[in-house]
Amino acid sequence: MPRPKSEFEELFPCDFYTPEELLDADQMYTVYEIARLLQGLDADAEIDEGVEDILLDWAIPWIMRNSDEMVVAEPPSDEEPGYYGLRDDGDD
């Protein structure tokens, strides 16, 4: 149910990183690592599985929204996730 803005102590801008601000140009990341980075955590930070599920709710749409600026690579095996990185001039 909606709540009045006045019920909240503080409101923040809804700003998100651009891919260039978030990702290193020479690295590839899993969606799980991107989810952590979007929250200001280290890519390999240990987090609770429930927290990780919530972070993925933010990361997946972010990846889709920024897909024109990114590339994707096949996972090393069927048990591992794919990898995402910044697109550069040499990428198809």
Side-chain angles (χ1 to χ4, degrees), residues 26-74:
D26 61 345
Q27 299 292 316
M28 296 290 284
Y29 303 85
T30 67
V31 66
Y32 303 101
E33 293 165 336
I34 291 171
R36 288 171 176 79
L37 293 172
L38 284 168
Q39 295 299 313
L41 302 171
D42 290 334
D44 61 351
E46 290 289 326
I47 57 174
D48 190 56
E49 186 176 324
V51 171
E52 185 169 67
D53 291 343
I54 293 168
L55 297 183
L56 287 175
D57 287 345
W58 289 83
I60 293 168
W62 182 88
I63 290 170
M64 294 173 62
R65 170 74 172 94
N66 292 290
S67 63
D68 289 345
E69 300 173 51
M70 300 177 71
V71 292
V72 62
E74 291 290 328

